[in-house]
Amino acid sequence: MQRLARFFPILQWGKSYTWDTAMSDGMAALIVTIMLIPQSLAYALLAGLPPEMGLYASILPLVAYAIFGTSRALAVGPVAVVSLMTAAAIGKLGLTDPAQIALAAGTLALLSGAILLAMGILRLGQLANFLSHPVIAGFITASGLLIAASQLRHIFGVDAHGHTLVDIATTLVAHLPDTNPITLALGAATLAFLFWVRKGLKPALLSLGLRPRLADLLAKAGPVAAVAATALTAYALDLGASGVALVGAVPSGLPPLTLPSLDPMLWQQLFLSALLISIIGFVESVSVAQTLAAKKRQRIDPDQELIGLGASNAAAALSGGYPVTGGFARSVVNFDAGAETPAAGALTAIGIALAALFLTPLLTYLPTATLAATIIVAVLSLVDFSILGRAWSYSKIDFSAVAATIVLTLGFGVEVGVSAGVLLSIALHLYKTSRPHVAEVGLVPGTQHFRNILRHKVDTRPHLVTLRVDESLYFANARFLEDLVLNRVAKDKALRHVVLMFPAVNEVDMSALETLEEINRRLDDLGIRLHLSEVKGPVMDRLKRSHFLDALTGKVFLSQYDAWRALEGGATAGPDQKGLAAQ
Amino acid sequence: MQRLARFFPILQWGKSYTWDTAMSDGMAALIVTIMLIPQSLAYALLAGLPPEMGLYASILPLVAYAIFGTSRALAVGPVAVVSLMTAAAIGKLGLTDPAQIALAAGTLALLSGAILLAMGILRLGQLANFLSHPVIAGFITASGLLIAASQLRHIFGVDAHGHTLVDIATTLVAHLPDTNPITLALGAATLAFLFWVRKGLKPALLSLGLRPRLADLLAKAGPVAAVAATALTAYALDLGASGVALVGAVPSGLPPLTLPSLDPMLWQQLFLSALLISIIGFVESVSVAQTLAAKKRQRIDPDQELIGLGASNAAAALSGGYPVTGGFARSVVNFDAGAETPAAGALTAIGIALAALFLTPLLTYLPTATLAATIIVAVLSLVDFSILGRAWSYSKIDFSAVAATIVLTLGFGVEVGVSAGVLLSIALHLYKTSRPHVAEVGLVPGTQHFRNILRHKVDTRPHLVTLRVDESLYFANARFLEDLVLNRVAKDKALRHVVLMFPAVNEVDMSALETLEEINRRLDDLGIRLHLSEVKGPVMDRLKRSHFLDALTGKVFLSQYDAWRALEGGATAGPDQKGLAAQ
């Protein structure tokens, strides 16, 4: 039962489910449903898919997450960045047949679900950590800009396309003469209204004396009001005849059972995209879930989250949807509205299912400009260039990773941007650690402390040099240490002893071991003895398993002060302390 | 002049060149020439190229290295592993026309030369360090096996092919019924003779009273003797008519000027192979050069070595050759024979040029089995599985990298093997550092030292926990630390202070900074203060540039003992020490 409950978190919270909890969950579900209807339509548009796929992606995937997910507030469904990545992935296939495009989107969700489930079963939740925070921040900002830019065409009522900022901007500018003035007026008005709802409506309602909860709910309903008002306008004035792009006929009904493609060629073409979507979706989702869980002193299990999101995407694939994940804004709303268990998600699914059954005829006259305005207002809150400034002042290396991620995402699209960001973070980290900080140290007079001779007034001896190595030693920096030691001793004829001080060396891999053997051999040729001091327990354990300690011309000292006392006097040293000295 | 001399090392050693030096270099050149003639023919065969390309690759490339290289003993030319990689790279193109194959080999040398030159100009010699020693050792061993297996077909006189051990073995076994008995007898006899020359000839000559130097020279001439004897036998008995494969007509003359292909398609197909050949060639060459330089207390410049090898490969591309690098055995022979300057290489080039002019008619009757035997005897000395044992006893992680490199090289060929080895080394290193060792420490009674509570009897306090972090903090391990700290405090209601002890933290990147901020915030929610101790100078400098120290609920202590004295008493602490406490 305990084991079962780990894979089905519903068995844990389900036991203590009460009528009160259901009321809280129901209220949260109502608010999220109101928010999710226009969002799901809009994000399907962003992904280049028919609007009903957005609705379908907001029904069964939510139920699947309610069963398998561990977060009590996460609201799953179509989100902006993953929709953009879906558009990029499908765009590469060069498909034109809408049925083929929908099939590819479902297949992408299936692959993504399979990848997430596999990672969950292998307990690879830690993998998400290989995306550095600044890279994620840069990627989200750049994606937000790309998404907003891509939606401008709907506001202007012109044709434009591309997956990079330059492509989008140039095609948009080229088509500007074709701008449909009615679409532009409608789009601009909706944009202005939605910005006002976001910034000005809630304070206005509060000053009218409404309860904060109700004011909040009304503010969240802004996009629904915009959808209703513009659809009604378009119907009343027959704007479709004036060239205003409308959503058109949306089929009514519950999601169909769909079978994704089993074409291995298509799987191969989509695999890398599915992997990127899985990783980005998981990182976005898990960080929201962790933030919200922490507020209630709860913890989530990243490995089980992988299973929850994997099941969600598999459900999306089988019910006419496309890749989904936990959305930031939507989850915060769910949390603030009082969701107490994942059942809130299942109740939201019922709300969306009702919408799919009964509201779709109302969408026929909805201008796409309204949906585009909804997207633009939502994603501009993701854009935050302050990460550049913070990274610049903290670390130039982190800055270069962020800057490269932003530039590459805008210039070459989301997939190149995020891949480059990850690879660059790893490469820069390796580069940093490949040139370790090594300080020559001396004794602070009157103490047992040793400090950098360049920063402090310290005692030294001409026949003795002590180098404190401030990095673990491994293949990428072993040679650097060798060069540094040999260059240091080359200019110094009086030298008889070199002590390598290892308090910050957490690891010595086999390449570094061979380098230490080489340093020992070369120093021996020069008549210089090599000693170690302050070697950590785990490192010492490992060195003992090699032949290095037998070949070492000097000793291993427990503390650097012991080394100083033994060696400061002259060219020879006391009895052998190897082994004894290990911590 | 000083700058010029850096790029043209010949200007340095050329100034002090004397008659004595020339005599030493000449003697070394003679011995290396004798060794290189059969080797260059054999390695061309291994690369799937006509034998004269091996000779051509041993003329101008040696002159180019003599001008630009920094090693005084390195002998450049065709080598076994790079020849095998050349065969793999060209094999992928599916060419059958010999002229096209030769063109592709020259183009590969050009690309490799360009990559090496570019890396040299960008001073990227350090990049070679990203290949861990065990991975290189595993790769060389597996390549040696692959090469020996691939040459067995010439010994049996049958057809066999493939770039993996399984392919080679299955095609060889399938063709065994076609074995040519005369070829097999000749090949087996040559193999036996060469093994005897290697192991038994020198001791025998020494026991006959020959001077060691002369005995050594005669032993090195073994392959030349085998070439002469088998060619003569084949000529006298007309073995070609009995189906024994012979080298056939080899054009006489100096290398032709060749223009590599400028087809961008071909460049693209060969680029990755050229990159791998460049890196492997450079790593092999630079490690030989460093070993030999160290014996004479000389240093080589890895960045200038890139230029030297780049120029060599460019020269090979323009003179009918194929990719070259510094060979291990050959360089050791050059060094032992007394080579004092790179001029020995230029003199060797003259020797090979004379061979190309006058000796090629003698090669017409040379059985390919002889060349195959030469290769097998040479590469089996590369095969050394002891690295597996040493890695196993030292570190399971290093062992898995070596084992994977060997298995993948044998199973999927050289390019997959070496790429996987590099990526796996990096991935395993990141994995290791993503789960840092964190020890809960207490005070060793009567001292100021703090040790792991699990390993030592130490003092602790119920309201105070000190965690020593034994790894730099960066994106891949930041979350791990957060989970660890929060799990530790979750079970402990009495806790009021957490001290993170940072003596081994050499870096805190921006992701880790955000995690520290998060830990600080979460602990604050629980009424627990966070303190740091023993923060290194460079890390403290960086933390001061962020807002973390302002938000920190506790203090930064210079030493852990200071932290203990301030916090052991009770729930509140002394005056603020931030800033002051930085080392």
Side-chain angles (χ1 to χ4, degrees):
Chain A
M1 185 63 199
Q2 199 58 31
R3 276 175 63 94
L4 211 59
R6 215 186 80 203
F7 285 104
F8 296 93
I10 193 172
L11 297 177
Q12 282 182 325
W13 58 262
K15 279 187 299 193
S16 54
Y17 204 74
T18 65
W19 187 246
D20 274 1
T21 325
M23 287 300 291
S24 298
D25 284 347
M27 185 62 195
L30 178 66
I31 297 177
V32 173
T33 305
I34 291 172
M35 187 177 176
L36 189 50
I37 293 173
Q39 273 193 0
S40 60
L41 300 168
Y43 291 147
L45 183 77
L46 169 60
L49 300 170
E52 66 271 19
M53 286 187 80
L55 291 174
Y56 299 161
S58 310
I59 302 175
L60 281 192
L62 279 65
V63 176
Y65 184 82
I67 298 171
F68 294 99
T70 58
S71 167
R72 306 203 159 197
L74 195 71
V76 170
V79 306
V81 173
V82 166
S83 299
L84 178 68
M85 293 177 82
T86 300
I90 296 175
K92 281 189 304 186
L93 302 178
L95 301 173
T96 48
D97 174 9
Q100 290 288 320
I101 291 175
L103 186 68
T107 309
L108 195 62
L110 184 74
L111 284 176
S112 176
I115 291 169
L116 289 164
L117 283 170
M119 285 172 66
I121 290 165
L122 296 174
R123 309 193 72 68
L124 293 179
Q126 290 281 343
L127 270 191
N129 301 341
F130 283 85
L131 276 164
S132 83
H133 298 200
V135 163
I136 299 171
F139 176 68
I140 297 289
T141 286
S143 304
L145 269 186
L146 269 187
I147 293 169
S150 75
Q151 296 308 304
L152 283 178
R153 64 165 189 236
H154 297 296
I155 302 290
F156 286 92
V158 299
D159 198 24
H161 52 266
H163 296 295
T164 72
L165 198 60
V166 172
D167 284 356
I168 294 170
T170 49
T171 54
L172 187 70
V173 169
H175 288 96
L176 271 192
D178 310 336
T179 299
N180 180 308
I182 304 178
T183 306
L184 182 58
L186 198 77
T190 311
L191 260 183
F193 170 73
L194 289 175
F195 273 118
W196 173 75
V197 163
R198 203 172 185 90
K199 300 283 176 192
L201 180 60
K202 197 174 152 190
L205 290 172
L206 288 176
S207 70
L208 287 177
L210 263 70
R211 286 213 321 267
R213 198 94 188 249
L214 191 60
D216 213 34
L217 179 58
L218 286 174
K220 291 287 179 293
V224 168
V227 163
T230 53
L232 213 63
T233 310
Y235 173 70
L237 304 180
D238 193 15
L239 293 184
S242 316
V244 173
L246 305 178
V247 167
V250 177
S252 286
L254 290 175
L257 177 71
T258 48
L259 288 180
S261 166
L262 296 177
D263 175 9
M265 205 35 212
L266 184 64
W267 284 37
Q268 204 185 324
Q269 286 174 311
L270 290 176
F271 182 79
L272 198 64
S273 302
L275 183 67
L276 290 173
I277 286 175
S278 303
I279 293 174
I280 290 291
F282 174 62
V283 169
E284 187 176 348
S285 181
V286 91
S287 57
V288 183
Q290 269 167 337
T291 306
L292 296 180
K295 290 197 183 179
K296 291 205 173 172
R297 307 278 168 99
Q298 296 158 350
R299 308 275 300 155
I300 59 151
D301 172 1
D303 294 317
Q304 184 61 32
E305 278 302 286
L306 281 166
I307 301 211
L309 292 175
S312 272
N313 277 290
L318 297 174
S319 63
Y322 72 99
V324 295
T325 193
F328 180 75
R330 198 181 303 153
S331 301
V332 172
V333 167
N334 195 32
F335 180 86
D336 287 344
E340 294 200 4
T341 72
L347 295 171
T348 305
I350 294 175
I352 302 286
L354 292 172
L357 279 171
F358 304 113
L359 297 184
T360 48
L362 306 181
L363 298 176
T364 313
Y365 290 93
L366 178 61
T368 51
T370 306
L371 294 178
T374 312
I375 296 177
I376 291 173
V377 172
V379 297
L380 283 184
S381 67
L382 301 178
V383 176
D384 174 14
F385 282 105
S386 75
I387 180 67
L388 280 174
R390 280 181 289 134
W392 177 262
S393 69
Y394 186 70
S395 147
K396 300 297 171 284
I397 285 196
D398 279 311
F399 173 80
S400 51
V402 188
T405 305
I406 293 180
V407 169
L408 291 171
T409 304
L410 293 178
F412 296 93
V414 277
E415 298 195 343
V416 170
V418 73
S419 312
V422 173
L423 295 180
L424 201 64
S425 305
I426 292 174
L428 288 173
H429 172 72
L430 292 175
Y431 177 77
K432 257 189 296 192
T433 57
S434 77
R435 295 159 175 271
H437 184 244
V438 176
E440 185 168 341
V441 299
L443 181 67
V444 180
T447 73
Q448 301 187 3
H449 291 290
F450 289 78
R451 290 283 180 276
N452 193 331
I453 60 167
L454 301 178
R455 289 189 178 217
H456 302 266
K457 284 211 165 169
V458 290
D459 276 357
T460 56
R461 294 285 180 274
H463 64 277
L464 169 65
V465 61
T466 300
L467 299 171
R468 191 189 68 215
V469 180
D470 286 354
E471 192 73 64
S472 289
L473 295 175
Y474 74 112
F475 59 87
N477 63 22
R479 176 86 71 191
F480 182 86
L481 178 70
E482 183 183 335
D483 287 346
L484 193 138
V485 171
L486 295 180
N487 285 334
R488 172 64 185 81
V489 305
K491 45 180 182 174
D492 199 339
K493 300 283 175 203
L495 215 54
R496 289 294 166 268
H497 297 281
V498 169
V499 181
L500 294 179
M501 192 178 162
F502 273 14
V505 174
N506 305 304
E507 198 221 332
V508 172
D509 82 350
M510 206 161 154
S511 303
L513 174 72
E514 290 181 9
T515 302
L516 287 177
E517 289 171 343
E518 185 67 22
I519 293 174
N520 182 50
R521 212 158 29 232
R522 300 256 179 112
L523 290 181
D524 195 21
D525 287 348
L526 299 170
I528 298 172
R529 287 189 175 199
L530 177 68
H531 310 266
L532 303 181
S533 75
E534 306 198 2
V535 181
K536 295 192 166 182
V539 173
M540 196 65 201
D541 290 349
R542 184 151 285 171
L543 290 180
K544 281 183 191 159
R545 294 210 298 273
S546 74
H547 297 299
F548 174 64
L549 296 180
D550 304 331
L552 187 66
T553 53
K555 290 162 208 148
V556 180
F557 295 97
L558 183 61
S559 79
Q560 175 54 30
Y561 191 65
D562 293 345
W564 174 265
R565 280 189 310 185
L567 303 174
E568 64 160 340
T572 54
D576 197 300
Q577 301 191 7
K578 276 176 221 169
L580 282 180
Q583 296 186 30
Chain B
M1 184 63 199
Q2 199 57 32
R3 279 176 62 94
L4 210 61
R6 214 185 81 206
F7 286 103
F8 296 93
I10 193 175
L11 298 177
Q12 283 181 325
W13 58 262
K15 277 187 300 189
S16 52
Y17 204 76
T18 63
W19 188 245
D20 274 359
T21 324
M23 286 300 291
S24 300
D25 284 346
M27 185 64 195
L30 177 66
I31 297 177
V32 173
T33 304
I34 291 172
M35 186 177 175
L36 189 50
I37 292 173
Q39 275 193 358
S40 60
L41 299 169
Y43 292 147
L45 182 78
L46 170 59
L49 300 171
E52 66 269 20
M53 286 186 79
L55 291 174
Y56 298 161
S58 310
I59 301 175
L60 280 193
L62 279 65
V63 176
Y65 183 82
I67 297 172
F68 293 101
T70 58
S71 165
R72 305 203 160 197
L74 195 72
V76 170
V79 307
V81 173
V82 166
S83 298
L84 178 68
M85 294 179 79
T86 300
I90 296 176
K92 283 191 303 188
L93 301 178
L95 301 173
T96 48
D97 174 9
Q100 290 287 323
I101 291 176
L103 186 67
T107 308
L108 195 62
L110 185 73
L111 285 175
S112 175
I115 291 169
L116 289 163
L117 282 170
M119 287 172 66
I121 290 165
L122 296 173
R123 310 194 71 70
L124 294 180
Q126 291 280 343
L127 270 190
N129 302 340
F130 283 86
L131 277 163
S132 83
H133 298 200
V135 164
I136 300 172
F139 175 69
I140 297 287
T141 285
S143 304
L145 270 186
L146 269 187
I147 293 169
S150 74
Q151 295 307 302
L152 283 178
R153 65 167 187 234
H154 296 298
I155 302 288
F156 287 91
V158 300
D159 199 23
H161 52 267
H163 295 296
T164 71
L165 199 58
V166 173
D167 284 357
I168 294 171
T170 50
T171 54
L172 186 69
V173 168
H175 287 95
L176 271 193
D178 309 337
T179 300
N180 180 309
I182 304 178
T183 305
L184 180 59
L186 199 75
T190 310
L191 261 182
F193 171 73
L194 289 175
F195 274 118
W196 173 73
V197 162
R198 206 175 184 90
K199 302 281 176 196
L201 180 61
K202 196 174 153 189
L205 289 173
L206 287 176
S207 70
L208 287 176
L210 261 73
R211 287 211 321 263
R213 199 93 189 249
L214 189 60
D216 212 37
L217 178 59
L218 285 175
K220 292 283 179 297
V224 168
V227 163
T230 54
L232 213 62
T233 309
Y235 172 73
L237 306 179
D238 193 14
L239 293 183
S242 316
V244 173
L246 306 177
V247 166
V250 177
S252 287
L254 290 174
L257 176 70
T258 49
L259 287 181
S261 167
L262 296 177
D263 174 9
M265 204 39 210
L266 184 65
W267 282 38
Q268 205 185 324
Q269 287 173 309
L270 290 176
F271 181 81
L272 198 64
S273 301
L275 183 67
L276 290 173
I277 287 175
S278 303
I279 293 174
I280 290 291
F282 174 62
V283 168
E284 188 178 348
S285 181
V286 90
S287 58
V288 182
Q290 270 168 336
T291 306
L292 296 180
K295 292 198 183 179
K296 291 203 174 175
R297 306 282 167 93
Q298 295 159 350
R299 305 278 299 158
I300 60 149
D301 172 1
D303 295 316
Q304 184 61 31
E305 279 302 285
L306 282 166
I307 305 229
L309 292 175
S312 272
N313 276 290
L318 297 174
S319 62
Y322 72 99
V324 294
T325 192
F328 180 75
R330 197 181 304 152
S331 299
V332 172
V333 167
N334 196 31
F335 179 86
D336 287 343
E340 294 199 3
T341 72
L347 295 171
T348 304
I350 294 176
I352 302 289
L354 292 173
L357 280 171
F358 304 113
L359 297 184
T360 49
L362 307 180
L363 299 175
T364 311
Y365 290 93
L366 177 62
T368 51
T370 306
L371 293 178
T374 312
I375 296 178
I376 291 174
V377 173
V379 297
L380 282 184
S381 67
L382 300 179
V383 175
D384 174 14
F385 282 106
S386 75
I387 181 69
L388 281 173
R390 280 180 289 134
W392 176 262
S393 69
Y394 186 71
S395 148
K396 299 298 171 282
I397 286 197
D398 278 311
F399 173 80
S400 52
V402 189
T405 306
I406 292 180
V407 169
L408 291 172
T409 304
L410 293 178
F412 296 92
V414 277
E415 297 195 342
V416 171
V418 73
S419 312
V422 173
L423 295 180
L424 200 65
S425 306
I426 292 174
L428 288 173
H429 172 71
L430 292 175
Y431 177 77
K432 257 188 297 191
T433 57
S434 75
R435 297 162 174 269
H437 184 247
V438 177
E440 185 168 343
V441 298
L443 181 66
V444 179
T447 73
Q448 301 187 9
H449 290 290
F450 289 77
R451 290 282 181 276
N452 194 333
I453 61 168
L454 302 177
R455 289 189 178 218
H456 301 267
K457 286 213 161 161
V458 290
D459 277 356
T460 57
R461 293 286 181 276
H463 64 276
L464 169 64
V465 61
T466 301
L467 299 170
R468 191 191 66 213
V469 180
D470 285 354
E471 193 72 65
S472 289
L473 295 174
Y474 74 112
F475 59 88
N477 63 20
R479 176 85 71 191
F480 182 87
L481 179 70
E482 183 182 335
D483 287 346
L484 194 138
V485 171
L486 296 180
N487 286 334
R488 172 62 185 81
V489 304
K491 44 179 183 174
D492 199 340
K493 300 284 177 204
L495 214 54
R496 289 296 165 266
H497 297 280
V498 170
V499 182
L500 294 178
M501 193 177 162
F502 273 14
V505 174
N506 305 304
E507 199 220 329
V508 172
D509 83 349
M510 209 163 153
S511 303
L513 174 72
E514 289 180 10
T515 303
L516 287 177
E517 288 170 343
E518 186 67 20
I519 293 173
N520 183 50
R521 206 154 38 228
R522 300 260 178 109
L523 291 181
D524 195 21
D525 287 348
L526 300 169
I528 298 172
R529 287 190 176 198
L530 178 68
H531 310 267
L532 303 182
S533 74
E534 307 199 3
V535 181
K536 294 194 168 181
V539 173
M540 195 67 202
D541 291 349
R542 183 153 287 172
L543 290 180
K544 282 186 192 160
R545 295 212 297 272
S546 74
H547 298 299
F548 174 65
L549 296 180
D550 305 331
L552 187 66
T553 53
K555 289 162 210 149
V556 180
F557 295 97
L558 183 59
S559 80
Q560 176 55 28
Y561 190 66
D562 294 346
W564 174 266
R565 280 188 311 185
L567 303 174
E568 65 159 338
T572 53
D576 197 300
Q577 300 192 10
K578 278 175 219 168
L580 282 179
Q583 297 188 29

